[in-house]
Amino acid sequence: MKQSDIDLLRTHPIRPQSLLIGGKWRDASDGGRRDVISPIDGALLTTLAEGTQADVDAAVSAARAAFETGRWSRMAPAGRKAVLLKWAGLIEENALELAVLGVRDNGTEIGMALKAEPGSAAATLRFYAEAIDKVPGEIAPTGDDVLALVHRDPIGVVGAIVPWNFPLMIAAWKLGPALAAGNSVVLKPAETASLSLLRMAELGLEAGLPEGVLNVVTGAGPVVGQAMGLHTDIDVLAFTGSGATGRRLMEYSARSNMKRCYLELGGKSPNIVFADAPDLEVAAQVCANGIFRNSGQVCIAGSRLIVAESIREDFLARVVEIAGALKVGDPLDLQNDVGAVHSEAQLQGNLAMVEAARAAGGTVMGGGARIHEKSGGFYMSPAVIDGLGPEADIHRKEVFGPVLAAVSFKDEAEALALANATDFGLAGAVWTSDLSTAHRMTRAIKAGLLHVNTYGGSGVNVPMAGMKQSGNGVDKSLHALDKYVDLKTVWIKL
Ligand code: NAD
């Protein structure tokens, strides 16, 4: 990746965006529009169509019609596979354009965006495309006089609602298995990260997705998202975002047609560092990167540091030093390590959490302030907060910003108790040379994604599944296919 290629793309004018409904690009039913502000410099990038309830109705009708015709749902798996593979290829061909567009919209540093966004989205589509003609139904063992078949049928219309961090990657975690299984989809991007998803959808049409199979309705969560949640002709909701919105979606489901409601929510994930960690320098680097990259806007960010009392002082000092050396700035400049916070509102929320921790008696060890204000963009220096107990908000509430909360432990039992002292259960890591400690801890921590002496392991072939209030669904891996199929049993008398 060359800086000159990025610079060529960063000033491309972006035309006003439309909704994708029934294979056609159109304006919102009432002509409404929303400004798209870049977190890089606060400038107006373009406008989005502001979807309405009527637009959601139209998108769901188009999705249902496409499903019922069978032009996708009953296409031979090899046919769906060919289209999805072509789509993945087009995403890779246009990877830098997609990544730069996304960064202009949400502020993620370009190196991370290129890998995690088009790279990961293409890999995900490819994984499910390849899987779909290899996951068979079942013939159950029975007596000689009957045959019991278990079919895996597509369910119908899937409503996918996604957040603003990693829009392509997270949308692909829903689109890949849902479309491969034969469903139609209505996708709602986040208000502050729609541009690259609209472009990815355009590439989907180019790859041959039949009209109505993928629909995209941009707009406000409480309008478009709520209309999807309450819609009686959506069969499955696949959501990634905050716990507060997840709760609402469960309510909408209960109040409407009891649609399946899969939630991938937030976290407060611990990095637990024992004194016998194999390399404390590596541990400090990874702990710092694990919370500060993408300005902490990563669901699995290691936002709690739980460190052995005996090494606390030195380890914390090293993490603070690493944090202070990170270059925060223009996310499209390859020299920078950390980009922008995605919106002014998020930045203000982050700063308020730091101030609340300070007011509660915490020590802010460097950072925690707004920086580069003259650029017009939304930037924050990484903060490490020490001196508060595990009951403090900073140890319990998700900031979703570049803020690390530190606490120490005397023995393994206390480390485990601290790790589990949270409503969340998304991710975590244990740093130790002792195999038994590693096994005991990873088995006892209630979280879906655990690491030993590393952080942020990825790969579409393993599940991403939160425990406790981090969610109830599975993204990635073959397990995710189960969310988007009905199991139907047929008994045949012989
Ligand atoms: P959010 O809940 O505010 O928004 C997510 C989506 O929901 C957006 O598209 C938004 O428009 C929509 N929405 C908002 N209000 C709605 C309503 N009333 N009805 C229906 N839809 C509505 O979350 P966010 O701020 O965009 O994302 C950050 C959160 O996502 C963090 O908590 C983060 O941890 C979480 N996250 C989780 C994962 C995971 O895999 N578990 C991955 C990334 C992000």
Side-chain angles (χ1 to χ4, degrees):
M1 183 174 23
K2 288 195 297 211
Q3 187 65 53
S4 53
D5 293 337
I6 297 168
D7 292 341
L8 274 178
L9 289 165
R10 69 177 298 155
T11 49
H12 267 198
I14 306 168
R15 64 170 187 268
Q17 303 288 298
S18 309
L19 311 176
L20 175 60
I21 297 177
K24 308 274 179 317
W25 295 97
R26 47 160 112 159
D27 281 339
S29 63
D30 63 1
R33 298 232 133 241
R34 157 188 300 266
D35 289 347
V36 179
I37 303 296
S38 177
I40 299 177
D41 54 8
L44 179 70
L45 279 178
T46 184
T47 59
L48 295 177
E50 183 74 2
T52 62
Q53 161 111 40
D55 294 316
V56 172
D57 289 344
V60 175
S61 294
R64 177 62 60 189
F67 185 77
E68 294 302 334
T69 63
R71 56 181 174 255
W72 181 256
S73 53
R74 292 197 294 278
M75 185 188 271
R80 295 199 297 267
K81 170 176 165 175
V83 172
L84 293 175
L85 288 178
K86 187 163 178 205
W87 192 11
L90 288 172
I91 290 169
E92 281 166 341
E93 277 171 35
N94 294 279
L96 191 60
E97 181 213 328
L98 282 161
V100 172
L101 189 60
V103 171
R104 292 170 76 188
D105 207 1
N106 80 350
T108 300
E109 47 272 14
I110 184 66
M112 180 184 259
L114 187 64
K115 200 168 148 217
E117 284 282 273
S120 169
T124 299
L125 293 180
R126 193 163 273 135
F127 177 83
Y128 290 105
E130 289 292 356
I132 202 60
D133 58 359
K134 300 174 189 66
V135 179
E138 296 162 24
I139 301 176
T142 56
D144 276 354
D145 57 336
V146 285
L147 178 65
L149 304 177
V150 183
H151 296 285
R152 295 168 64 85
D153 290 342
I155 300 172
V157 177
V158 172
I161 302 179
V162 297
W164 42 264
N165 67 329
F166 309 114
L168 300 186
M169 175 175 82
I170 292 171
W173 291 350
K174 325 283 186 204
L175 295 173
L179 291 173
N183 299 281
S184 298
V185 176
V186 177
L187 171 68
K188 187 222 169 294
E191 293 86 325
T192 50
S194 298
L195 299 179
S196 56
L197 267 178
L198 287 162
R199 176 73 181 119
M200 184 167 106
E202 191 175 44
L203 295 173
L205 295 187
E206 197 179 321
L209 281 177
E211 64 176 44
V213 168
L214 173 62
N215 307 273
V216 186
V217 184
T218 51
V223 177
V224 174
Q226 175 169 316
M228 288 170 66
L230 288 170
H231 208 293
T232 50
D233 207 22
I234 287 184
D235 303 295
V236 180
L237 276 178
F239 173 74
T240 297
S242 64
T245 307
R247 255 176 228 281
R248 287 198 186 95
L249 291 176
M250 289 184 116
E251 276 179 43
Y252 300 155
S253 167
R255 278 163 52 196
S256 54
N257 58 344
M258 296 196 286
K259 55 181 74 62
R260 295 184 201 174
C261 190
Y262 295 113
L263 307 176
E264 308 296 334
L265 309 173
K268 195 78 195 176
S269 302
N271 256 304
I272 305 154
V273 185
F274 286 83
D276 68 349
D279 187 331
L280 285 169
E281 174 56 23
V282 170
Q285 294 277 355
V286 175
C287 286
N289 282 329
I291 175 64
F292 298 129
R293 286 301 176 104
N294 198 21
S295 300
Q297 302 166 130
V298 179
C299 54
I300 63 162
S303 52
R304 290 187 295 151
L305 172 63
I306 301 178
V307 57
E309 189 68 58
S310 58
I311 57 166
R312 173 199 182 106
E313 208 168 308
D314 288 351
F315 192 82
L316 212 48
R318 184 66 189 123
V319 171
V320 170
E321 190 181 6
I322 296 164
L326 288 171
K327 283 179 76 178
V328 182
D330 180 348
L332 289 172
D333 183 339
L334 287 170
Q335 303 291 319
N336 289 328
D337 302 307
V338 177
V341 173
H342 90 111
S343 70
E344 176 71 34
Q346 179 75 33
L347 175 58
Q348 292 306 329
N350 296 348
L351 297 171
M353 288 284 283
V354 172
E355 282 322 304
R358 206 193 303 269
T363 308
V364 182
M365 301 173 74
R370 182 175 200 152
I371 53 174
H372 307 320
E373 197 167 354
K374 282 201 182 121
S375 70
F378 319 133
Y379 299 93
M380 177 170 171
S381 51
V384 180
I385 296 183
D386 192 21
L388 290 172
E391 68 293 338
D393 276 358
I394 203 69
H395 285 283
R396 293 188 171 264
K397 294 191 175 162
E398 187 184 39
V399 180
F400 217 52
V403 181
L404 177 66
V407 67
S408 61
F409 65 87
K410 290 194 182 58
D411 55 25
E412 190 180 315
E414 192 183 8
L416 179 61
L418 288 167
N420 282 334
T422 170
D423 291 335
F424 295 108
L426 196 56
V430 179
W431 296 82
T432 178
S433 295
D434 186 320
L435 198 57
S436 300
T437 305
H439 276 292
R440 274 194 305 269
M441 289 292 289
T442 50
R443 291 184 73 171
I445 295 171
K446 289 285 281 179
L449 179 67
L450 289 167
H451 308 79
V452 177
N453 300 330
T454 183
Y455 206 87
S458 60
V460 63
N461 55 349
V462 293
M464 169 89 184
M467 294 184 186
K468 295 156 81 177
Q469 291 183 32
S470 288
N472 63 5
V474 179
D475 275 335
K476 310 200 300 178
S477 80
L478 293 180
H479 298 285
L481 278 170
D482 290 343
K483 297 194 311 193
Y484 304 105
V485 295
D486 276 325
L487 295 181
K488 181 190 283 171
T489 302
V490 179
W491 288 98
I492 301 171
K493 176 82 179 130
L494 302 182

